[in-house]
Amino acid sequence: MKIALRDSSLLRTNLYIDGEWRVPKDGRRIPVYDPASGAWIAEIAHASERDIEDAIQAAYRSWQSWKNTLAKDRGKLLRQWGEAMLQHKEDLGMIITREQGKPLREAVGEIIYAAQYLLFYAEEAVRTYGDIIPTPFEGARLLVLKQPVGPVGIITPWNFPVAMFVRKAAAALAAGCTCVIKPDERTPLSAYAVMELAHRVGFPAGVINMLTGDPPQIGEMLASDARIRKISFTGSTATGRLLMQWAAKVPKPVTLELGGNAPFIVFDDADIPSAVEGLIASKFRNSGQTCICVNRVFVHRHIAADFKKALEAKLEALQIGPGVQNPDVGPLIDDKAFEKVEHLVDDAVQRGAELSCQLFEPHSRGLFYPPTIIAEVQPEMDIFRTEIFGPVISLIPFDDDAQVLHMANDTEYGLAAYFYTNNPRRIWTVTEALEYGMVGINTGRISTPHAPFGGIKASGFGREGSKYGIEEYLVTKYLNWSGL
């Protein structure tokens, strides 16, 4: 399958190392497929051990000069990169849709969202302030400097193949760090296309490098190499734990944005139409394949019937199809993802849950899993404990605030939570009681470059976005200047 683009030179399939596009040293390639049709799209480079070593060395060498580049000049390049992404947003969006499957308008929206991080950190680069501390010593001054941590290994997933690596790289580059980036091998073409734009705007050789290949090999080499001073990873909790083990050999700091199990609570005083709209917006984005997607929907028993009726009406109006047709819901990424969602639904039904609404039979349309509502879900069901990552809504009734807060927090994860209420006092008590890094109050949309993104518990640690995001790539140096 060919991808029709205005600028066909954006399609890159080789490694980007030290300012050059390189053929892998061992000549190996990896196929890339369109999940909507199963069609073969391209073959990308499989990095050899030597290629990975070259990328690490390039990032380490270039850091010696990049960290001393004026912050305003680093910011200028970030701004130009973001503007270039916006200029090519239609082509970049089309690449995402073909390799990942999401609706085209969502894919273009991802490019705009990612570019905003570059524009934000272009301004934040000049604000890595230090401190002067009141001294307890005669003839001395105490100072604090903020300096870049060093070369960073960035590993990102397939569900947002551009936004995930850009929001990490933007903060790292603004802080004065260099990068070795590994996008997911299922969705590499959009990442390489954005890398091509970074090359065009003139980032110095070695400042940004990009590899694809064997994930465990690349991950272990980045995490255990002393020249890479930090790892930033978005993906599964299991892989995050593995990266921590490898990074501990050096050791080095790790930022992890891992799995989620987001609750969505609808209290009896909530505006039902608004809550339904917020749920649809949060749940069905990218076919439910986002880490902050709603997983468990808790609805007060007094309004449960009215809420379900309004939700079913919205669900039945959803359009499902290939991303290029701009539907509401596209395909899942691969067979493994489909089988996982199917298992969770089947397990719930076998244990007594009600299959309330399902738009068509699973397996009748390839990797398109039908938008589904499962009612009367109980805590002992797998769907209550496991991140669904698909277009399935699980409904759980509750009777009072204490009960629902216990159920909402009854998970190892702590990434995002949502609730709807018109009671100001309840807003404060529920917000403080929820054990999550991010909380949406009367909204299903929470992510923005201006706010810190991240979780607690098994959902990871560290933050991306906002002024807090750049702190992840800075170290604090204390100076005691005596003899004054």
Side-chain angles (χ1 to χ4, degrees):
M1 174 184 290
K2 291 184 178 180
I3 304 177
L5 303 176
R6 298 174 185 175
D7 183 353
S8 60
S9 64
L10 288 173
L11 280 176
R12 294 284 187 168
T13 60
N14 288 322
L15 311 171
Y16 188 77
I17 301 173
D18 205 11
E20 299 177 342
W21 291 103
R22 297 189 184 180
V23 174
K25 293 187 183 299
D26 61 6
R28 295 173 65 189
R29 315 293 291 188
I30 305 168
V32 180
Y33 298 96
D34 173 8
S37 66
W40 175 88
I41 300 175
E43 287 185 338
I44 57 158
H46 184 294
S48 67
E49 182 175 342
R50 183 60 193 169
D51 293 318
I52 303 167
E53 164 63 26
D54 286 351
I56 293 172
Q57 181 57 28
Y60 182 73
R61 188 198 67 252
S62 64
W63 178 55
Q64 309 308 316
S65 57
W66 181 249
K67 66 182 179 181
N68 294 317
T69 300
L70 291 177
K72 69 180 182 67
D73 293 332
R74 296 198 299 265
K76 181 180 179 180
L77 282 170
L78 288 171
R79 186 177 303 106
Q80 291 173 340
W81 191 14
E83 290 169 349
M85 285 180 61
L86 293 174
Q87 290 168 4
H88 293 84
K89 63 182 183 292
E90 288 84 7
D91 276 354
L92 297 173
M94 179 60 74
I95 297 172
I96 290 177
T97 293
R98 284 300 190 189
E99 67 179 355
Q100 198 275 333
K102 68 179 61 175
L104 185 57
R105 62 175 174 274
E106 285 190 25
V108 173
E110 178 181 341
I111 297 303
I112 296 170
Y113 171 78
Q116 296 307 311
Y117 279 92
L118 292 169
L119 300 178
F120 179 87
Y121 282 111
E123 302 296 329
E124 205 67 18
V126 299
R127 300 191 181 104
T128 54
Y129 303 129
D131 289 299
I132 298 177
I133 301 171
T135 178
F137 310 118
E138 287 290 339
R141 297 293 182 270
L142 310 184
L143 300 87
V144 171
L145 299 180
K146 297 293 183 71
Q147 295 182 304
V149 65
V152 178
I154 293 174
I155 303 172
T156 54
W158 52 264
N159 57 339
F160 289 89
V162 170
M164 294 297 97
F165 95 79
V166 168
R167 76 179 182 188
K168 297 174 187 290
L173 294 165
C177 302
T178 55
C179 304
V180 179
I181 301 165
K182 193 205 84 66
D184 194 284
E185 284 70 20
R186 285 167 287 188
T187 56
L189 299 175
S190 52
Y192 277 139
V194 172
M195 190 71 254
E196 167 64 18
L197 294 178
H199 177 78
R200 292 182 189 181
V201 302
F203 277 90
V207 169
I208 318 176
N209 307 273
M210 185 169 284
L211 303 168
T212 44
D214 179 59
Q217 181 187 34
I218 297 175
E220 184 172 11
M221 287 185 68
L222 291 177
S224 60
D225 194 300
R227 290 167 295 179
I228 298 295
R229 303 292 176 82
K230 178 183 175 67
I231 293 293
S232 183
F233 169 74
T234 296
S236 73
T237 298
T239 302
R241 292 189 176 109
L242 192 58
L243 285 167
M244 287 182 69
Q245 293 175 17
W246 290 331
K249 297 176 183 178
V250 175
K252 68 185 65 172
V254 179
T255 292
L256 300 177
E257 195 263 284
L258 307 175
N261 190 4
F264 186 99
I265 307 170
V266 187
F267 290 97
D268 55 357
D269 64 342
D271 181 82
I272 291 178
S274 294
V276 169
E277 289 290 346
L279 174 56
I280 294 291
S282 178
K283 179 68 224 186
F284 293 106
R285 184 183 182 199
N286 199 21
S287 303
Q289 300 173 114
T290 87
C291 56
I292 59 173
C293 265
V294 172
N295 219 55
R296 298 164 296 154
V297 182
F298 301 96
V299 185
H300 196 282
R301 201 176 300 275
H302 289 171
I303 62 169
D306 290 340
F307 184 86
K308 188 170 79 165
K309 182 178 179 181
L311 181 61
E312 289 175 347
K314 287 288 185 181
L315 203 73
E316 290 169 356
L318 294 177
Q319 299 295 313
I320 299 92
V324 292
Q325 297 176 5
N326 258 327
D328 299 300
V329 180
L332 298 183
I333 186 65
D334 56 24
D335 290 330
K336 184 177 179 181
F338 191 101
E339 290 164 4
K340 175 187 175 182
V341 176
E342 187 176 44
H343 161 75
L344 292 174
V345 172
D346 290 347
D347 172 80
V349 172
Q350 289 170 10
R351 296 193 189 195
E354 173 194 344
L355 186 61
S356 174
C357 180
Q358 192 169 65
L359 294 194
F360 51 84
E361 285 291 322
H363 285 295
S364 64
R365 304 187 190 179
L367 292 177
F368 295 88
Y369 194 89
T372 299
I373 299 174
I374 301 289
E376 301 297 330
V377 169
Q378 301 298 321
E380 63 271 15
M381 299 173 182
D382 288 350
I383 203 168
F384 187 95
R385 302 286 172 188
T386 306
E387 187 174 29
I388 300 171
F389 243 58
V392 176
I393 293 174
S394 57
L395 294 178
I396 305 152
F398 72 92
D399 296 298
D400 58 58
D401 291 18
Q403 178 195 27
V404 75
L405 286 171
H406 172 75
M407 288 193 294
N409 289 331
D410 185 19
T411 174
E412 66 174 326
Y413 299 104
L415 187 57
Y418 309 85
F419 68 91
Y420 275 71
T421 180
N422 286 313
N423 184 329
R425 181 178 180 181
R426 177 180 275 152
I427 287 173
W428 280 113
T429 58
V430 171
T431 297
E432 292 177 353
L434 286 168
E435 297 172 355
Y436 293 85
M438 299 175 287
V439 179
I441 305 164
N442 294 327
T443 181
R445 296 183 180 274
I446 58 175
S447 185
T448 170
H450 303 274
F453 188 104
I456 60 174
K457 302 194 294 187
S459 290
F461 42 79
R463 294 297 180 265
E464 297 179 348
S466 80
K467 67 177 184 179
Y468 301 102
I470 200 168
E471 292 286 337
E472 298 288 327
Y473 300 96
L474 296 169
V475 292
T476 299
K477 180 181 286 185
Y478 155 57
L479 312 178
N480 184 323
W481 186 357
S482 295
L484 298 177

